[in-house]
Amino acid sequence: MSTSAFFSCDDAMTRKIELQSSPTSKEDLETVYSIKYCTQWIIENNFLSVALQFPDDFLIDASKVVGLIQHRVPNSSIFILGDTSYGSCCVDEVGAQHYKADSIIHYGSTCLSPNIILPVFYVLGRASIDVRDCVAKICQHCSDTAMKAILAYDTKYAFIVGQVFHQLQSCLPHLILSKMSLPSGSSHGQDSFYKTLYPESVYINNDGETGSAVVRCGRVVLLPEGTNIDDYSVIFLGKPDGATIINLMMNFNKSPFFTYNPDDSICQRMSLNVNKALMKRYYLIERAKDASIIGILAGTLGVAKYKDIIDHLKILLKKAGKKSYTFVVGKLNPQKLANFAEVEVYVLVSCPESCLFNQGDFHCPIVTPFEMEIACNKAREWTGDYTTDFSTLLPGSPMYVEAPQPDSYEEEGDVSLISNRLRVIGERNALEVASSKDVAIRTEGEIIAVGSAQNASEFLSTRSWKGLEQNLGKTPVVKAVEGQVGIAASYKNEQDLS
């Protein structure tokens, strides 16, 4: 039995989905979608309700894939998650649980974020790549045999990257292959399938490999003893403008980047000025320091420890004397966030590949948990190191820095680099808040108070329009009447009205 999940996007009537130019051939479906291994995984674990999650560009093959799997597991219910709650790179456990799924098969690229509840089998796909051309052009651009480099890749090339790696070692003897840290699935048998599907590219804890492990962006790099990650360049297989490489460049911001794009067979050194990008992010940190009202956006409900980081941010913001409000709005757009004009800065809790995006259309800045941590935690300094993984900010992580107690915040002030005004970070009582507002004189005898609101209710009190008046006891009570019937585009009684 197969069914299709509901479509929950706000602009469902006008949304355009970019699909593959043509469906995958019947002969290639088995290989591209790993039908054999998906079926074995379902049977071995006796799963009865399996959700198949496809990104938009794979939906053209979705019905055929469901048919192939359903035919081999007639006792199980296989259905499609046609639209995701957040990004397609994350496992949509929320959508799957609406249909009481006991497992998920995730197709396409993934951000490698650990999930929380349901067992997941990842099928990363098989994008075409000319291995000979790839190796030749990378060796041409990276001709220094003494060069230390890390080979990273988009997940859709995981099936072939081992072959590319071994051929590149002839010209780059100090090359290291990064490995994907797919969520451990030993209890559900995924690991044995991963070793076959993605040889050498998946990190399995019991591989017996030695070296100093560096984990960033869901990837594990085993460095030789005595070496430093900042001494290595990064060679990336995939699009030079995708979310994956932007995430990698921010986290490996001290390393030169080279890319090979299999789609157009172009190899190049990335010219993106990472320092300039970091300074833009530091500007957002300054905006966060100035803000009094912070909105915490839940940009995921499926990535592990998302509740922990939200609780951590609430405590951190309270210590810094800022008022916080938590919002769950699904997929972000400027119209949704514009409903909350009192919020001065949002902090987005999401997967690493979804937290950095073009925010020019939004009415206020949207920062990452790491940036908010720098803004509010005086014990954490800006060093240029950057992380998009919010789990590294939690207790128990090597990057965790405990925030000082509120009393220590009040010992000294700070000058805003944006407004050039004195600001104090720390908890303050109502009297201190009232006396901390700036005072400006417009004309003789006319004094006005200038200052941002400290909470949402204070902001509301300054607005000229505060919503509909209730007029309790003044409005006559009338019986309810039947309203319009149908949809807004064409009500059933519109002909009568005309």
Side-chain angles (χ1 to χ4, degrees), residues 343-388:
V343 176
E344 298 170 84
V345 170
Y346 286 99
V347 52
L348 175 61
V349 175
S350 68
C351 77
E353 294 191 4
S354 301
C355 63
L356 300 172
F357 58 94
N358 184 4
Q359 49 185 310
D361 294 334
F362 292 88
H363 77 284
C364 68
I366 303 175
V367 303
T368 67
F370 175 70
E371 291 162 353
M372 186 58 70
E373 174 95 4
I374 294 176
C376 299
N377 187 349
K378 289 183 62 177
R380 187 185 291 277
E381 297 180 355
W382 172 263
T383 62
D385 292 331
Y386 198 88
T387 179
T388 52

mmCIF file of all heavy atoms in Angstrom, residues 343-388:
data_model
loop_
_atom_site.group_PDB
_atom_site.id
_atom_site.type_symbol
_atom_site.label_atom_id
_atom_site.label_comp_id
_atom_site.label_asym_id
_atom_site.label_seq_id
_atom_site.Cartn_x
_atom_site.Cartn_y
_atom_site.Cartn_z
ATOM 1 N N VAL A 343 10.688 42.042 17.931
ATOM 2 C CA VAL A 343 11.944 41.290 17.994
ATOM 3 C C VAL A 343 13.027 42.041 17.231
ATOM 4 O O VAL A 343 12.854 42.413 16.070
ATOM 5 C CB VAL A 343 11.754 39.872 17.416
ATOM 6 C CG1 VAL A 343 13.085 39.127 17.389
ATOM 7 C CG2 VAL A 343 10.731 39.096 18.240
ATOM 8 N N GLU A 344 14.158 42.250 17.890
ATOM 9 C CA GLU A 344 15.255 42.996 17.280
ATOM 10 C C GLU A 344 16.262 42.094 16.575
ATOM 11 O O GLU A 344 16.886 42.488 15.596
ATOM 12 C CB GLU A 344 15.963 43.823 18.346
ATOM 13 C CG GLU A 344 15.065 44.860 19.009
ATOM 14 C CD GLU A 344 15.724 45.482 20.216
ATOM 15 O OE1 GLU A 344 16.499 46.442 20.030
ATOM 16 O OE2 GLU A 344 15.461 45.023 21.345
ATOM 17 N N VAL A 345 16.439 40.889 17.079
ATOM 18 C CA VAL A 345 17.355 39.913 16.487
ATOM 19 C C VAL A 345 16.784 38.520 16.732
ATOM 20 O O VAL A 345 16.267 38.239 17.820
ATOM 21 C CB VAL A 345 18.775 40.014 17.097
ATOM 22 C CG1 VAL A 345 19.636 38.840 16.653
ATOM 23 C CG2 VAL A 345 19.446 41.314 16.707
ATOM 24 N N TYR A 346 16.864 37.670 15.718
ATOM 25 C CA TYR A 346 16.481 36.268 15.866
ATOM 26 C C TYR A 346 17.741 35.411 15.943
ATOM 27 O O TYR A 346 18.753 35.715 15.308
ATOM 28 C CB TYR A 346 15.639 35.792 14.684
ATOM 29 C CG TYR A 346 14.222 36.308 14.667
ATOM 30 C CD1 TYR A 346 13.867 37.389 13.869
ATOM 31 C CD2 TYR A 346 13.241 35.713 15.452
ATOM 32 C CE1 TYR A 346 12.560 37.866 13.848
ATOM 33 C CE2 TYR A 346 11.930 36.185 15.435
ATOM 34 C CZ TYR A 346 11.601 37.248 14.634
ATOM 35 O OH TYR A 346 10.314 37.723 14.617
ATOM 36 N N VAL A 347 17.667 34.327 16.700
ATOM 37 C CA VAL A 347 18.720 33.323 16.689
ATOM 38 C C VAL A 347 18.086 32.026 16.198
ATOM 39 O O VAL A 347 17.085 31.557 16.744
ATOM 40 C CB VAL A 347 19.368 33.159 18.087
ATOM 41 C CG1 VAL A 347 18.330 32.921 19.163
ATOM 42 C CG2 VAL A 347 20.382 32.030 18.071
ATOM 43 N N LEU A 348 18.639 31.477 15.138
ATOM 44 C CA LEU A 348 18.042 30.328 14.451
ATOM 45 C C LEU A 348 18.706 29.034 14.900
ATOM 46 O O LEU A 348 19.917 28.853 14.737
ATOM 47 C CB LEU A 348 18.184 30.493 12.933
ATOM 48 C CG LEU A 348 17.714 29.326 12.062
ATOM 49 C CD1 LEU A 348 16.222 29.063 12.268
ATOM 50 C CD2 LEU A 348 17.999 29.603 10.593
ATOM 51 N N VAL A 349 17.913 28.132 15.446
ATOM 52 C CA VAL A 349 18.383 26.803 15.836
ATOM 53 C C VAL A 349 18.021 25.841 14.714
ATOM 54 O O VAL A 349 16.847 25.509 14.517
ATOM 55 C CB VAL A 349 17.737 26.353 17.171
ATOM 56 C CG1 VAL A 349 18.129 24.924 17.504
ATOM 57 C CG2 VAL A 349 18.131 27.294 18.288
ATOM 58 N N SER A 350 19.009 25.445 13.948
ATOM 59 C CA SER A 350 18.751 24.575 12.794
ATOM 60 C C SER A 350 19.993 23.754 12.502
ATOM 61 O O SER A 350 21.005 23.858 13.206
ATOM 62 C CB SER A 350 18.362 25.410 11.568
ATOM 63 O OG SER A 350 19.472 26.181 11.123
ATOM 64 N N CYS A 351 19.922 22.955 11.455
ATOM 65 C CA CYS A 351 21.073 22.147 11.060
ATOM 66 C C CYS A 351 22.165 23.058 10.505
ATOM 67 O O CYS A 351 21.900 24.197 10.104
ATOM 68 C CB CYS A 351 20.658 21.098 10.034
ATOM 69 S SG CYS A 351 20.430 21.738 8.350
ATOM 70 N N PRO A 352 23.420 22.600 10.452
ATOM 71 C CA PRO A 352 24.530 23.458 10.011
ATOM 72 C C PRO A 352 24.357 24.042 8.619
ATOM 73 O O PRO A 352 24.831 25.153 8.353
ATOM 74 C CB PRO A 352 25.739 22.515 10.072
ATOM 75 C CG PRO A 352 25.385 21.510 11.119
ATOM 76 C CD PRO A 352 23.909 21.302 10.957
ATOM 77 N N GLU A 353 23.696 23.345 7.715
ATOM 78 C CA GLU A 353 23.585 23.820 6.340
ATOM 79 C C GLU A 353 22.380 24.734 6.125
ATOM 80 O O GLU A 353 22.186 25.243 5.030
ATOM 81 C CB GLU A 353 23.535 22.636 5.368
ATOM 82 C CG GLU A 353 24.836 21.845 5.330
ATOM 83 C CD GLU A 353 24.892 20.845 4.188
ATOM 84 O OE1 GLU A 353 23.944 20.822 3.370
ATOM 85 O OE2 GLU A 353 25.866 20.080 4.121
ATOM 86 N N SER A 354 21.569 24.932 7.155
ATOM 87 C CA SER A 354 20.388 25.787 7.022
ATOM 88 C C SER A 354 20.494 27.087 7.800
ATOM 89 O O SER A 354 19.632 27.953 7.669
ATOM 90 C CB SER A 354 19.135 25.030 7.502
ATOM 91 O OG SER A 354 18.937 23.844 6.768
ATOM 92 N N CYS A 355 21.542 27.227 8.612
ATOM 93 C CA CYS A 355 21.616 28.406 9.482
ATOM 94 C C CYS A 355 22.277 29.601 8.805
ATOM 95 O O CYS A 355 22.200 30.715 9.305
ATOM 96 C CB CYS A 355 22.344 28.062 10.775
ATOM 97 S SG CYS A 355 24.063 27.573 10.562
ATOM 98 N N LEU A 356 22.937 29.396 7.664
ATOM 99 C CA LEU A 356 23.581 30.490 6.936
ATOM 100 C C LEU A 356 22.844 30.700 5.626
ATOM 101 O O LEU A 356 22.842 29.830 4.762
ATOM 102 C CB LEU A 356 25.058 30.162 6.665
ATOM 103 C CG LEU A 356 25.940 29.932 7.903
ATOM 104 C CD1 LEU A 356 27.312 29.433 7.468
ATOM 105 C CD2 LEU A 356 26.065 31.200 8.719
ATOM 106 N N PHE A 357 22.206 31.833 5.457
ATOM 107 C CA PHE A 357 21.457 32.096 4.238
ATOM 108 C C PHE A 357 21.357 33.596 4.012
ATOM 109 O O PHE A 357 21.674 34.407 4.878
ATOM 110 C CB PHE A 357 20.053 31.469 4.298
ATOM 111 C CG PHE A 357 19.230 31.958 5.451
ATOM 112 C CD1 PHE A 357 18.361 33.019 5.301
ATOM 113 C CD2 PHE A 357 19.318 31.358 6.694
ATOM 114 C CE1 PHE A 357 17.594 33.485 6.354
ATOM 115 C CE2 PHE A 357 18.561 31.800 7.761
ATOM 116 C CZ PHE A 357 17.696 32.869 7.586
ATOM 117 N N ASN A 358 20.921 33.964 2.826
ATOM 118 C CA ASN A 358 20.772 35.383 2.481
ATOM 119 C C ASN A 358 19.554 35.945 3.210
ATOM 120 O O ASN A 358 18.433 35.534 2.970
ATOM 121 C CB ASN A 358 20.611 35.524 0.968
ATOM 122 C CG ASN A 358 20.551 36.982 0.534
ATOM 123 O OD1 ASN A 358 20.706 37.884 1.342
ATOM 124 N ND2 ASN A 358 20.333 37.201 -0.748
ATOM 125 N N GLN A 359 19.799 36.883 4.113
ATOM 126 C CA GLN A 359 18.711 37.410 4.934
ATOM 127 C C GLN A 359 18.394 38.858 4.621
ATOM 128 O O GLN A 359 17.877 39.594 5.454
ATOM 129 C CB GLN A 359 19.075 37.264 6.411
ATOM 130 C CG GLN A 359 20.455 37.766 6.774
ATOM 131 C CD GLN A 359 20.790 37.465 8.223
ATOM 132 O OE1 GLN A 359 20.009 37.754 9.126
ATOM 133 N NE2 GLN A 359 21.942 36.879 8.457
ATOM 134 N N GLY A 360 18.675 39.282 3.401
ATOM 135 C CA GLY A 360 18.443 40.672 3.034
ATOM 136 C C GLY A 360 16.983 41.091 3.071
ATOM 137 O O GLY A 360 16.678 42.270 3.255
ATOM 138 N N ASP A 361 16.056 40.154 2.901
ATOM 139 C CA ASP A 361 14.631 40.495 2.872
ATOM 140 C C ASP A 361 13.991 40.538 4.253
ATOM 141 O O ASP A 361 12.834 40.940 4.390
ATOM 142 C CB ASP A 361 13.871 39.480 2.000
ATOM 143 C CG ASP A 361 14.276 39.566 0.533
ATOM 144 O OD1 ASP A 361 14.707 40.653 0.117
ATOM 145 O OD2 ASP A 361 14.167 38.551 -0.174
ATOM 146 N N PHE A 362 14.705 40.116 5.287
ATOM 147 C CA PHE A 362 14.129 40.062 6.632
ATOM 148 C C PHE A 362 14.290 41.408 7.328
ATOM 149 O O PHE A 362 15.253 42.135 7.082
ATOM 150 C CB PHE A 362 14.791 38.957 7.444
ATOM 151 C CG PHE A 362 14.475 37.574 6.941
ATOM 152 C CD1 PHE A 362 15.257 36.973 5.964
ATOM 153 C CD2 PHE A 362 13.386 36.872 7.425
ATOM 154 C CE1 PHE A 362 14.969 35.710 5.488
ATOM 155 C CE2 PHE A 362 13.087 35.604 6.959
ATOM 156 C CZ PHE A 362 13.877 35.020 5.983
ATOM 157 N N HIS A 363 13.363 41.715 8.216
ATOM 158 C CA HIS A 363 13.343 43.041 8.844
ATOM 159 C C HIS A 363 14.384 43.200 9.932
ATOM 160 O O HIS A 363 14.642 44.315 10.396
ATOM 161 C CB HIS A 363 11.944 43.324 9.412
ATOM 162 C CG HIS A 363 11.647 42.611 10.702
ATOM 163 N ND1 HIS A 363 11.347 41.265 10.749
ATOM 164 C CD2 HIS A 363 11.621 43.047 11.987
ATOM 165 C CE1 HIS A 363 11.128 40.909 12.004
ATOM 166 N NE2 HIS A 363 11.288 41.973 12.779
ATOM 167 N N CYS A 364 14.987 42.087 10.383
ATOM 168 C CA CYS A 364 16.028 42.167 11.408
ATOM 169 C C CYS A 364 17.006 41.017 11.211
ATOM 170 O O CYS A 364 16.695 40.040 10.522
ATOM 171 C CB CYS A 364 15.412 42.137 12.808
ATOM 172 S SG CYS A 364 14.653 40.567 13.249
ATOM 173 N N PRO A 365 18.190 41.097 11.794
ATOM 174 C CA PRO A 365 19.201 40.057 11.592
ATOM 175 C C PRO A 365 18.784 38.706 12.152
ATOM 176 O O PRO A 365 18.017 38.625 13.118
ATOM 177 C CB PRO A 365 20.421 40.604 12.339
ATOM 178 C CG PRO A 365 20.185 42.062 12.489
ATOM 179 C CD PRO A 365 18.704 42.226 12.593
ATOM 180 N N ILE A 366 19.315 37.649 11.546
ATOM 181 C CA ILE A 366 19.126 36.284 12.033
ATOM 182 C C ILE A 366 20.509 35.701 12.249
ATOM 183 O O ILE A 366 21.278 35.547 11.299
ATOM 184 C CB ILE A 366 18.327 35.422 11.042
ATOM 185 C CG1 ILE A 366 16.973 36.064 10.748
ATOM 186 C CG2 ILE A 366 18.143 34.014 11.579
ATOM 187 C CD1 ILE A 366 16.162 35.336 9.690
ATOM 188 N N VAL A 367 20.843 35.384 13.483
ATOM 189 C CA VAL A 367 22.179 34.911 13.818
ATOM 190 C C VAL A 367 22.133 33.436 14.188
ATOM 191 O O VAL A 367 21.066 32.852 14.397
ATOM 192 C CB VAL A 367 22.788 35.728 14.983
ATOM 193 C CG1 VAL A 367 22.832 37.209 14.635
ATOM 194 C CG2 VAL A 367 21.995 35.523 16.278
ATOM 195 N N THR A 368 23.308 32.837 14.278
ATOM 196 C CA THR A 368 23.427 31.440 14.683
ATOM 197 C C THR A 368 23.602 31.367 16.206
ATOM 198 O O THR A 368 23.959 32.357 16.844
ATOM 199 C CB THR A 368 24.630 30.782 14.003
ATOM 200 O OG1 THR A 368 25.837 31.389 14.503
ATOM 201 C CG2 THR A 368 24.564 30.954 12.491
ATOM 202 N N PRO A 369 23.376 30.204 16.809
ATOM 203 C CA PRO A 369 23.613 30.076 18.254
ATOM 204 C C PRO A 369 25.042 30.436 18.661
ATOM 205 O O PRO A 369 25.259 31.021 19.720
ATOM 206 C CB PRO A 369 23.301 28.597 18.526
ATOM 207 C CG PRO A 369 22.287 28.237 17.481
ATOM 208 C CD PRO A 369 22.714 29.001 16.262
ATOM 209 N N PHE A 370 26.020 30.106 17.822
ATOM 210 C CA PHE A 370 27.409 30.446 18.128
ATOM 211 C C PHE A 370 27.600 31.957 18.183
ATOM 212 O O PHE A 370 28.285 32.483 19.077
ATOM 213 C CB PHE A 370 28.332 29.830 17.075
ATOM 214 C CG PHE A 370 29.778 30.220 17.230
ATOM 215 C CD1 PHE A 370 30.530 29.755 18.291
ATOM 216 C CD2 PHE A 370 30.377 31.055 16.300
ATOM 217 C CE1 PHE A 370 31.866 30.117 18.432
ATOM 218 C CE2 PHE A 370 31.710 31.423 16.432
ATOM 219 C CZ PHE A 370 32.460 30.951 17.506
ATOM 220 N N GLU A 371 26.986 32.673 17.252
ATOM 221 C CA GLU A 371 27.107 34.132 17.237
ATOM 222 C C GLU A 371 26.406 34.759 18.442
ATOM 223 O O GLU A 371 26.901 35.733 19.021
ATOM 224 C CB GLU A 371 26.537 34.672 15.928
ATOM 225 C CG GLU A 371 27.394 34.304 14.724
ATOM 226 C CD GLU A 371 26.667 34.425 13.398
ATOM 227 O OE1 GLU A 371 25.450 34.664 13.400
ATOM 228 O OE2 GLU A 371 27.315 34.263 12.355
ATOM 229 N N MET A 372 25.265 34.210 18.828
ATOM 230 C CA MET A 372 24.590 34.717 20.016
ATOM 231 C C MET A 372 25.399 34.404 21.269
ATOM 232 O O MET A 372 25.419 35.199 22.226
ATOM 233 C CB MET A 372 23.188 34.107 20.115
ATOM 234 C CG MET A 372 22.344 34.670 21.249
ATOM 235 S SD MET A 372 22.113 36.471 21.155
ATOM 236 C CE MET A 372 21.021 36.593 19.733
ATOM 237 N N GLU A 373 26.085 33.288 21.268
ATOM 238 C CA GLU A 373 26.944 32.932 22.394
ATOM 239 C C GLU A 373 28.062 33.957 22.558
ATOM 240 O O GLU A 373 28.379 34.386 23.674
ATOM 241 C CB GLU A 373 27.535 31.535 22.154
ATOM 242 C CG GLU A 373 28.562 31.097 23.180
ATOM 243 C CD GLU A 373 27.985 30.258 24.300
ATOM 244 O OE1 GLU A 373 26.781 29.934 24.252
ATOM 245 O OE2 GLU A 373 28.738 29.945 25.226
ATOM 246 N N ILE A 374 28.674 34.373 21.461
ATOM 247 C CA ILE A 374 29.728 35.381 21.536
ATOM 248 C C ILE A 374 29.163 36.713 22.025
ATOM 249 O O ILE A 374 29.796 37.435 22.788
ATOM 250 C CB ILE A 374 30.413 35.550 20.165
ATOM 251 C CG1 ILE A 374 31.155 34.266 19.789
ATOM 252 C CG2 ILE A 374 31.387 36.723 20.179
ATOM 253 C CD1 ILE A 374 31.781 34.301 18.425
ATOM 254 N N ALA A 375 27.951 37.031 21.587
ATOM 255 C CA ALA A 375 27.338 38.306 21.961
ATOM 256 C C ALA A 375 26.997 38.369 23.438
ATOM 257 O O ALA A 375 27.058 39.447 24.040
ATOM 258 C CB ALA A 375 26.080 38.539 21.125
ATOM 259 N N CYS A 376 26.650 37.254 24.054
ATOM 260 C CA CYS A 376 26.123 37.271 25.422
ATOM 261 C C CYS A 376 27.043 36.636 26.468
ATOM 262 O O CYS A 376 26.844 36.864 27.656
ATOM 263 C CB CYS A 376 24.768 36.556 25.467
ATOM 264 S SG CYS A 376 23.509 37.320 24.445
ATOM 265 N N ASN A 377 27.992 35.850 26.036
ATOM 266 C CA ASN A 377 28.881 35.157 26.971
ATOM 267 C C ASN A 377 30.223 35.873 27.012
ATOM 268 O O ASN A 377 31.035 35.750 26.094
ATOM 269 C CB ASN A 377 29.055 33.698 26.548
ATOM 270 C CG ASN A 377 29.826 32.881 27.572
ATOM 271 O OD1 ASN A 377 30.412 33.421 28.505
ATOM 272 N ND2 ASN A 377 29.819 31.565 27.395
ATOM 273 N N LYS A 378 30.482 36.632 28.073
ATOM 274 C CA LYS A 378 31.721 37.407 28.166
ATOM 275 C C LYS A 378 32.952 36.515 28.261
ATOM 276 O O LYS A 378 34.067 36.957 27.978
ATOM 277 C CB LYS A 378 31.667 38.331 29.385
ATOM 278 C CG LYS A 378 30.706 39.490 29.239
ATOM 279 C CD LYS A 378 30.755 40.412 30.445
ATOM 280 C CE LYS A 378 32.129 41.043 30.605
ATOM 281 N NZ LYS A 378 32.158 42.005 31.735
ATOM 282 N N ALA A 379 32.769 35.255 28.649
ATOM 283 C CA ALA A 379 33.899 34.342 28.776
ATOM 284 C C ALA A 379 34.344 33.781 27.421
ATOM 285 O O ALA A 379 35.419 33.192 27.322
ATOM 286 C CB ALA A 379 33.540 33.189 29.718
ATOM 287 N N ARG A 380 33.505 33.962 26.398
ATOM 288 C CA ARG A 380 33.869 33.454 25.065
ATOM 289 C C ARG A 380 34.309 34.630 24.199
ATOM 290 O O ARG A 380 33.565 35.585 24.011
ATOM 291 C CB ARG A 380 32.681 32.731 24.409
ATOM 292 C CG ARG A 380 33.058 32.048 23.095
ATOM 293 C CD ARG A 380 31.834 31.444 22.434
ATOM 294 N NE ARG A 380 31.314 30.298 23.167
ATOM 295 C CZ ARG A 380 31.776 29.072 23.057
ATOM 296 N NH1 ARG A 380 32.776 28.810 22.234
ATOM 297 N NH2 ARG A 380 31.237 28.093 23.763
ATOM 298 N N GLU A 381 35.491 34.530 23.639
ATOM 299 C CA GLU A 381 36.051 35.608 22.835
ATOM 300 C C GLU A 381 35.968 35.270 21.345
ATOM 301 O O GLU A 381 35.951 34.102 20.954
ATOM 302 C CB GLU A 381 37.517 35.867 23.217
ATOM 303 C CG GLU A 381 37.706 36.325 24.650
ATOM 304 C CD GLU A 381 39.160 36.570 24.985
ATOM 305 O OE1 GLU A 381 40.017 36.282 24.116
ATOM 306 O OE2 GLU A 381 39.438 37.038 26.099
ATOM 307 N N TRP A 382 35.922 36.318 20.537
ATOM 308 C CA TRP A 382 35.927 36.146 19.079
ATOM 309 C C TRP A 382 37.370 35.959 18.617
ATOM 310 O O TRP A 382 38.197 36.868 18.713
ATOM 311 C CB TRP A 382 35.299 37.370 18.416
ATOM 312 C CG TRP A 382 35.415 37.376 16.921
ATOM 313 C CD1 TRP A 382 36.349 38.025 16.175
ATOM 314 C CD2 TRP A 382 34.575 36.688 15.992
ATOM 315 N NE1 TRP A 382 36.141 37.795 14.843
ATOM 316 C CE2 TRP A 382 35.056 36.977 14.691
ATOM 317 C CE3 TRP A 382 33.458 35.863 16.124
ATOM 318 C CZ2 TRP A 382 34.465 36.473 13.542
ATOM 319 C CZ3 TRP A 382 32.869 35.350 14.975
ATOM 320 C CH2 TRP A 382 33.366 35.662 13.712
ATOM 321 N N THR A 383 37.678 34.761 18.116
ATOM 322 C CA THR A 383 39.034 34.454 17.663
ATOM 323 C C THR A 383 39.116 34.245 16.164
ATOM 324 O O THR A 383 40.207 34.097 15.626
ATOM 325 C CB THR A 383 39.544 33.183 18.362
ATOM 326 O OG1 THR A 383 38.704 32.066 17.995
ATOM 327 C CG2 THR A 383 39.525 33.346 19.870
ATOM 328 N N GLY A 384 37.991 34.228 15.504
ATOM 329 C CA GLY A 384 37.960 33.917 14.081
ATOM 330 C C GLY A 384 37.548 32.483 13.816
ATOM 331 O O GLY A 384 37.089 32.151 12.725
ATOM 332 N N ASP A 385 37.713 31.610 14.820
ATOM 333 C CA ASP A 385 37.207 30.240 14.683
ATOM 334 C C ASP A 385 35.685 30.284 14.645
ATOM 335 O O ASP A 385 35.058 31.090 15.331
ATOM 336 C CB ASP A 385 37.686 29.370 15.847
ATOM 337 C CG ASP A 385 39.178 29.129 15.804
ATOM 338 O OD1 ASP A 385 39.746 29.120 14.693
ATOM 339 O OD2 ASP A 385 39.789 28.973 16.878
ATOM 340 N N TYR A 386 35.106 29.390 13.871
ATOM 341 C CA TYR A 386 33.658 29.458 13.649
ATOM 342 C C TYR A 386 33.082 28.049 13.638
ATOM 343 O O TYR A 386 33.730 27.092 13.194
ATOM 344 C CB TYR A 386 33.370 30.150 12.319
ATOM 345 C CG TYR A 386 31.958 30.653 12.179
ATOM 346 C CD1 TYR A 386 31.597 31.914 12.625
ATOM 347 C CD2 TYR A 386 30.971 29.862 11.595
ATOM 348 C CE1 TYR A 386 30.299 32.385 12.501
ATOM 349 C CE2 TYR A 386 29.669 30.318 11.466
ATOM 350 C CZ TYR A 386 29.343 31.576 11.917
ATOM 351 O OH TYR A 386 28.054 32.035 11.795
ATOM 352 N N THR A 387 31.858 27.932 14.118
ATOM 353 C CA THR A 387 31.164 26.654 14.068
ATOM 354 C C THR A 387 29.694 26.876 13.763
ATOM 355 O O THR A 387 29.097 27.846 14.250
ATOM 356 C CB THR A 387 31.321 25.868 15.384
ATOM 357 O OG1 THR A 387 30.605 24.621 15.288
ATOM 358 C CG2 THR A 387 30.768 26.651 16.561
ATOM 359 N N THR A 388 29.121 26.018 12.965
ATOM 360 C CA THR A 388 27.693 26.057 12.669
ATOM 361 C C THR A 388 26.940 24.937 13.376
ATOM 362 O O THR A 388 25.724 24.819 13.241
ATOM 363 C CB THR A 388 27.452 25.949 11.159
ATOM 364 O OG1 THR A 388 28.150 24.801 10.650
ATOM 365 C CG2 THR A 388 27.964 27.188 10.433
#
